Amino acid sequence: MGIIFYLFHPNQLRSIIQWKVWHDPVHKRNPEKESPALRECFRYLDLTSRSFSSVIQELNPELVVPICLFYLVLRGLDTIEDDMTIPIEKKEPLLRNFDKNMEIDGWTFTENGPNEKDRELLVHFDVVITELKKLKKPYYDIIKDITIKMANGMADYVLNAEHNEHGVMKITEYELYCHYVAGLVGEGLTRLFVEGDLANPRLKDRPELTESMGQFLQKTNIIRDVHEDYLDKRRFWPKEIWSKYVDSWDDMFKPENLAKALNCSSEMVLNALKHAEDCLFYMAGMRDQSVFNFVAIPQSMAIATLELVFRNPDIFSKHIKITKGDACQLMMESTQNLHVVCEVFRRYIRRIHKKNDPRDPNFIAISVQCGKIEQFIETLYPRQDPKKLTEQMDKKKRGDPTADPGESAILLGVGLLTLFCLSAIMVGVAWYFGARYDALWSWTQDKSSYHWPGMGSDGESPVVSSASAVPSIEHSEL
Amino acid sequence: MSEKPVTTAQKARELGRVLVIGGNGFLGHHIVNQILDDPLWAASHLSVIDLRCTRNRRPDTDKVAYYEANISDAEKVHSILEQVKPDVVIHTASPAPQGDDDIAKDLFKRVNVDGTAAVIAACQQAGVKALVYTSSASVVTDNSSNTINADERWPLVRGDMQPEYYTETKAAAEELVLAANRKDPHPTFLTTAIRPAGIFGEGDGMVTHQLIKIYRQRRTGFQIGDGENLFDFTYVGNVAHAHLLAARLLLVTHRAGASSIPLDYERVDGEAFFVTNDSPVYFWDFARAVWRAAGSDKGTGHVWAMSKELGLVLGFCSEVFFHILGKPPTFTRQRCTYSCMTRYYNISKAKRVLGYQPIVSLDDGIKRGVRWFLEQEAAGLVPAAK
């Protein structure tokens, strides 16, 4: 971003400076006390992860190493899966045996293609193995278990020619895919948090909450990256959804189909939004500030990204992401408490609601989902308290004055003055735009027709009309 | 009516002899329809009391016994109940909540309070087992401040604090109904109250009608307030469903006998329940969805949002203006307040205790309601929205 951009967006610059200057990590690694192998591991973490490296390094000392290694193991797996230079017959056993290889001292893998970006990690994977062996047994077992599940899932996808040729068909397949690439990571992390006594153990009884954390992030990425994936000839948007809007996947990217493509993307966003309440609820189970930050930052980024992609035509033609300033602000807000994160969610939910288009077939369903998330936040942090309401009411019943009369008089005076000024302005503005007050008078005489200043072009007959710009729904309960 | 999948294995839930008061009305006829059409429910006998029994009437082959009566006529209500001897009475009757003059107020009082008292007395004398009363979600609001995620712990707004007399009479009637629960000398007479919020759907002459009128008058380009206020609108079929669930649970409790009172957290008798679509939406989004269903091809680009304050000033001007003319104002401060108001409820209690879930989504409900209105309008059965 150039200087010009920040010149016109000083808030963005402010957020970046605030984050850089004021952010105070809860915990800091002390490399001096680490073994050379562990330092190497953190170096690879830095090399392989742009977004996760710093949050991982600020984790509670109890979990910082297990989670760093967990990340590196999964990154290693991913590097094998992604490498198209490795033939399938070789790749499959490599994936399925990964958990056994990571138990062999000194095991490394040097057969990645030269262009595979994280090949260095596997070339020096022995340092990861060395450190894995030093972990407490429960942590090690969790990492191994997830590695087995994920490696087998990846191997299944590698073999699944149907999937590789046609892409994702059903919504259930889409969610299963998200489960393998993100849900499993979430499962491993939750188990690590609970094992380290840094999260509420009851999260283990509610696996759907953990699953939602992963689904929310992964679905958001899949929506945002639709164009990039299209160029790479990959498709993760399920046909079950897009076939309602276009006949072929290529059609989604044709400018003449933009309206349909946008409606399709909003169904994808709606599908992702259904996880938001679970995510907020999950985060309520964090018992350690650093762990909270670790899980909250990606979630805040995801809701902001969803808002960015919602009804945004750019997703079909370029790679978009949230600005650095926004990212810094979100990180600041995500490293405080759940209440602040809820406010972040509410803010972006309302922006999504603002962009919602009545012509979109998903319009009301999106509005309902936004409302549900707001209601959920309200349930977590109620603004109205029935006890207080009852007390206030009792007070009024007893006739206690709630405000002294002098105050009321001033209030009334201010109110009247405001009312007068506003009326004067309005009358003036209306006159300026051509309201004909003389016509008003003549209308009262002949009852022909009357137009609100600017209010629609169809005059209404006031004799029978009781309609207004506002529907009278106040007592429609019956 | 119901979209709930009913497997053949699922046995219909027996309601016994059912009397629906206001059974030709907006909500009442949906209750009648659900009892007759939804395989989920079964009644050995079904009767209706209404002021006029011509509209929303089932064909004679359905064997519904219709009785024309005004419920404020205690004598007549009593004699009908003695004749019908129902097990369950579902009391939905209430005048249209329009009007603020003395005539309207008198009507509200006579029907809602006196009429309900007459119904209660007649039920007790006729040995009715269960009375389900249709209250209103507005009983916990003062009709001007926000109601945010309210549940049954919220206090009723009564007397001087309740500016809407209609709401006041609904609350008074609800108190009468709930106080009659298990009351000596009728310890087996069980009552409950359902508090629906913002009912709409087939048969609705208010919300849908008003909104379509705004659309036809091309006034969809105005919004008062920031449009972020959430509001509960409830599809009428869902409200009917909740009534039947409550009636059925009262019968179950009744069977257990007068001495066994259920635990608090599972108790239906003597309790009130908020019932909504469990999906609060942004007030103006609901309006736009109705306009869309009625044929609008507009997005939100043309919308001009005026502040609530400006709306209040306009409303005030309009009130004064029409007062001078001696006409009912087209736009009032109260309507402005309503359109900016947050009003939604937490229905966890109904979900937990009644096992209630909306059976028709808001989206489907809107489409059904608007389709019904347009069909009726085309057939000349309802006044055209112009």
Side-chain angles (χ1 to χ4, degrees):
Chain A
M1 299 263 174
I3 295 167
I4 309 278
F5 173 82
Y6 290 113
L7 213 56
F8 288 99
H9 301 87
N11 283 334
Q12 298 273 328
L13 188 60
R14 191 188 62 177
S15 294
I16 297 171
I17 293 170
Q18 272 180 340
W19 174 254
K20 300 260 144 111
V21 175
W22 295 109
H23 172 64
D24 189 16
V26 196
H27 303 282
K28 267 189 185 143
R29 273 176 57 219
N30 186 351
E32 313 254 303
K33 290 187 181 162
E34 292 168 354
S35 70
L38 186 57
R39 261 178 294 185
E40 274 299 285
C41 287
F42 278 110
R43 194 173 71 82
Y44 286 116
L45 180 69
D46 262 334
L47 286 175
T48 54
S49 163
R50 299 142 292 163
S51 43
F52 281 108
S53 179
S54 63
V55 264
I56 290 179
Q57 295 188 50
E58 291 176 12
L59 273 170
N60 186 303
E62 179 63 24
L63 283 183
V64 63
V65 177
I67 290 181
C68 169
L69 298 178
F70 184 36
Y71 182 88
L72 291 176
V73 168
L74 298 186
R75 173 57 61 201
L77 262 183
D78 203 40
T79 304
I80 292 174
E81 190 217 13
D82 269 359
D83 193 340
M84 290 304 158
T85 66
I86 306 173
I88 291 177
E89 51 282 9
K90 201 168 170 192
K91 195 186 270 185
E92 192 209 346
L94 209 47
L95 288 170
R96 294 202 200 271
N97 291 326
F98 198 85
D99 65 295
K100 293 180 196 78
N101 290 334
M102 75 184 206
E103 294 195 319
I104 304 169
D105 285 318
W107 182 83
T108 58
F109 181 72
T110 53
E111 291 158 56
N112 269 120
N115 295 327
E116 199 55 37
K117 64 177 167 42
D118 295 329
R119 82 184 298 279
E120 277 301 289
L121 168 66
L122 284 171
V123 169
H124 300 283
F125 205 72
D126 52 322
V127 292
V128 178
I129 294 171
T130 305
E131 288 303 317
L132 274 172
K133 297 208 161 172
K134 294 184 197 164
L135 286 183
K136 288 181 190 164
K137 179 112 191 350
Y139 295 150
Y140 182 81
D141 289 345
I142 294 167
I143 295 175
K144 184 177 160 80
D145 182 43
I146 301 294
T147 304
I148 294 171
K149 287 181 185 168
M150 175 139 0
N152 283 310
M154 283 176 170
D156 292 346
Y157 275 102
V158 166
L159 291 183
N160 188 339
E162 179 104 17
H163 172 267
N164 296 324
E165 186 162 342
H166 302 294
V168 179
M169 307 301 275
K170 293 271 177 208
I171 295 172
T172 48
E173 280 174 48
Y174 169 58
E175 295 188 336
L176 189 64
Y177 176 80
C178 292
H179 169 74
Y180 276 116
V181 295
L184 278 176
V185 183
E187 183 194 325
L189 288 172
T190 302
R191 285 163 65 184
L192 289 171
F193 299 156
V194 170
E195 189 60 48
D197 201 24
L198 300 179
N200 190 330
R202 292 185 61 188
L203 285 177
K204 283 173 94 171
D205 308 328
R206 298 284 306 273
E208 75 280 9
L209 298 181
T210 298
E211 182 66 28
S212 278
M213 292 288 280
Q215 294 274 336
F216 190 62
L217 299 184
Q218 193 59 33
K219 286 178 173 179
T220 302
N221 288 342
I222 286 176
I223 300 169
R224 182 197 57 194
D225 296 340
V226 64
H227 183 248
E228 208 180 355
D229 287 332
Y230 177 65
L231 295 182
D232 291 346
K233 306 213 172 354
R234 293 188 298 185
R235 173 176 66 72
F236 298 104
W237 289 28
K239 188 173 183 185
E240 190 179 344
I241 289 181
W242 61 259
S243 62
K244 290 191 227 166
Y245 303 89
V246 289
D247 297 329
S248 83
W249 183 237
D250 291 326
D251 289 348
M252 285 281 288
F253 300 87
K254 291 176 184 157
E256 66 267 28
N257 293 328
L258 183 62
K260 288 177 193 164
L262 281 175
N263 289 347
C264 176
S265 76
S266 63
E267 185 172 343
M268 292 292 290
V269 170
L270 172 64
N271 173 285
L273 278 176
K274 72 177 182 190
H275 301 291
E277 297 137 275
D278 277 356
C279 293
L280 293 173
F281 200 42
Y282 176 92
M283 290 188 273
M286 301 298 107
R287 288 180 175 169
D288 174 87
Q289 183 69 47
S290 70
V291 171
F292 176 82
N293 299 352
F294 176 67
V295 297
I297 290 174
Q299 296 294 322
S300 299
M301 299 286 176
I303 188 73
T305 304
L306 271 186
E307 188 273 330
L308 175 72
V309 298
F310 182 59
R311 301 206 65 82
N312 185 342
D314 285 349
I315 62 167
F316 300 109
S317 55
K318 55 178 113 155
H319 188 62
I320 58 172
K321 55 182 189 180
I322 48 180
T323 63
K324 195 153 185 236
D326 285 346
C328 286
Q329 194 193 345
L330 286 164
M331 286 196 283
M332 235 158 0
E333 290 169 314
S334 313
T335 46
Q336 297 177 39
N337 56 55
L338 183 60
H339 197 161
V340 179
V341 171
C342 280
E343 289 308 319
V344 169
F345 268 66
R346 200 190 326 242
R347 184 169 79 230
Y348 283 100
I349 283 300
R350 289 187 172 175
R351 287 192 200 163
I352 288 174
H353 148 67
K354 266 219 164 63
K355 288 207 255 174
N356 203 3
D357 190 318
R359 290 164 293 192
D360 181 341
N362 306 292
F363 173 72
I364 202 72
I366 288 168
S367 186
V368 163
Q369 184 52 34
C370 290
K372 271 203 163 57
I373 298 167
E374 282 214 39
Q375 183 174 29
F376 186 77
I377 294 171
E378 196 61 45
T379 308
L380 288 179
Y381 299 101
R383 281 175 291 178
Q384 287 188 338
D385 176 7
K387 272 194 198 131
K388 274 193 193 144
L389 290 171
T390 313
E391 276 168 27
Q392 278 171 9
M393 208 161 287
D394 291 345
K395 226 181 213 169
K396 276 191 202 160
K397 261 184 213 157
R398 287 199 306 270
D400 291 1
T402 43
D404 76 275
E407 214 170 62
S408 325
I410 294 172
L411 270 176
L412 188 73
V414 172
L416 283 175
L417 195 71
T418 317
L419 214 67
F420 177 78
C421 291
L422 278 172
S423 316
I425 293 167
M426 279 180 32
V427 170
V429 168
W431 170 80
Y432 180 74
F433 283 109
R436 291 180 53 220
Y437 294 112
D438 52 339
L440 265 185
W441 175 245
S442 62
W443 173 78
T444 60
Q445 301 300 303
D446 63 24
K447 293 194 172 48
S448 55
S449 80
Y450 164 69
H451 297 256
W452 268 107
M455 275 209 177
S457 50
D458 285 2
E460 64 184 33
S461 155
V463 183
V464 289
S465 169
S466 63
S468 70
V470 180
S472 118
I473 55 103
E474 50 267 38
H475 300 298
S476 50
E477 281 85 3
L478 279 181
Chain B
M1 289 307 307
S2 166
E3 283 189 340
K4 200 169 187 170
V6 179
T7 58
T8 44
Q10 200 169 356
K11 236 183 100 195
R13 297 183 230 181
E14 182 57 57
L15 294 168
R17 297 176 68 84
V18 182
L19 167 67
V20 182
I21 301 177
N24 296 85
F26 172 32
L27 170 62
H29 89 279
H30 278 273
I31 293 177
V32 169
N33 289 350
Q34 265 181 30
I35 294 172
L36 291 172
D37 302 336
D38 188 336
L40 199 60
W41 304 107
S44 57
H45 180 264
L46 184 55
S47 52
V48 163
I49 295 181
D50 208 313
L51 262 183
R52 284 177 307 277
C53 295
T54 43
R55 61 178 185 146
N56 300 324
R57 190 186 174 106
R58 298 285 300 202
D60 292 345
T61 48
D62 285 334
K63 300 201 171 72
V64 180
Y66 284 97
Y67 298 89
E68 284 201 351
N70 186 334
I71 56 164
S72 50
D73 181 348
E75 201 98 324
K76 185 140 189 214
V77 173
H78 175 70
S79 76
I80 295 171
L81 262 83
E82 285 300 333
Q83 194 185 331
V84 175
K85 286 279 177 200
D87 298 306
V88 173
V89 172
I90 300 175
H91 173 24
T92 71
S94 188
Q98 284 155 320
D100 197 31
D101 50 17
D102 288 343
I103 304 168
K105 284 185 173 176
D106 181 57
L107 179 69
F108 296 159
K109 163 112 186 7
R110 269 191 297 117
V111 178
N112 287 346
V113 185
D114 304 344
T116 301
V119 168
I120 293 169
C123 286
Q124 288 168 328
Q125 282 159 24
V128 168
K129 296 171 183 166
L131 170 64
V132 181
Y133 170 69
T134 315
S135 181
S136 159
S138 64
V139 294
V140 297
T141 74
D142 63 6
N143 292 294
S144 62
S145 18
N146 291 334
T147 302
I148 309 172
N149 208 23
D151 60 36
E152 290 77 1
R153 295 170 302 159
W154 262 243
L156 295 184
V157 181
R158 297 293 313 275
D160 294 342
M161 277 164 283
Q162 180 53 268
E164 291 291 321
Y165 189 68
Y166 176 83
T167 305
E168 167 69 12
T169 58
K170 291 301 288 182
E174 183 192 289
E175 283 189 341
L176 288 179
V177 167
L178 297 182
N181 182 54
R182 295 180 188 267
K183 194 169 175 212
D184 283 330
H186 307 282
T188 58
F189 176 54
L190 305 179
T191 67
T192 189
I194 301 291
R195 297 173 177 169
I199 312 186
F200 72 95
E202 300 96 330
D204 163 33
M206 300 197 43
V207 188
T208 317
H209 183 96
Q210 294 290 354
L211 286 172
I212 291 178
K213 201 151 152 182
I214 290 167
Y215 163 60
R216 298 268 171 78
Q217 290 168 348
R218 296 183 210 168
R219 289 186 292 151
T220 63
F222 294 94
Q223 173 186 305
I224 306 168
D226 55 16
E228 282 169 0
N229 50 319
L230 289 168
F231 222 91
D232 266 324
F233 296 91
T234 314
Y235 175 68
V236 60
N238 294 330
V239 180
H241 180 63
H243 278 75
L244 296 177
L245 290 171
R248 149 96 183 155
L249 286 170
L250 286 184
L251 286 180
V252 171
T253 309
H254 184 272
R255 217 168 295 145
S259 53
S260 73
I261 294 173
L263 298 168
D264 274 355
Y265 69 92
E266 55 184 26
R267 194 166 172 175
V268 179
D269 65 286
E271 298 287 314
F273 299 90
F274 286 111
V275 168
T276 69
N277 244 68
D278 201 19
S279 44
V281 274
Y282 303 96
F283 180 93
W284 293 93
D285 280 7
F286 180 83
R288 284 171 195 140
V290 169
W291 295 332
R292 177 72 184 159
S296 168
D297 58 357
K298 287 221 163 72
T300 51
H302 70 302
V303 173
W304 179 62
M306 66 173 109
S307 71
K308 182 183 173 184
E309 290 72 24
L310 181 57
L312 286 175
V313 172
L314 277 176
F316 180 71
C317 296
S318 152
E319 282 170 46
V320 171
F321 183 71
F322 282 96
H323 181 75
I324 294 168
L325 295 180
K327 308 268 182 248
T330 57
F331 180 61
T332 63
R333 281 169 297 171
Q334 194 204 28
R335 286 192 174 174
C336 169
T337 308
Y338 273 112
S339 62
C340 303
M341 183 191 287
T342 297
R343 183 190 274 197
Y344 69 95
Y345 301 88
N346 185 328
I347 61 158
S348 300
K349 186 179 170 189
K351 290 199 276 188
R352 189 184 68 241
V353 183
L354 301 181
Y356 167 79
Q357 282 291 340
I359 49 179
V360 174
S361 71
L362 198 68
D363 195 9
D364 289 339
I366 291 171
K367 285 173 188 151
R368 287 182 185 202
V370 172
R371 194 191 314 132
W372 175 87
F373 183 85
L374 297 178
E375 282 167 8
Q376 298 287 306
E377 192 187 39
L381 295 171
V382 294
K386 274 190 180 147

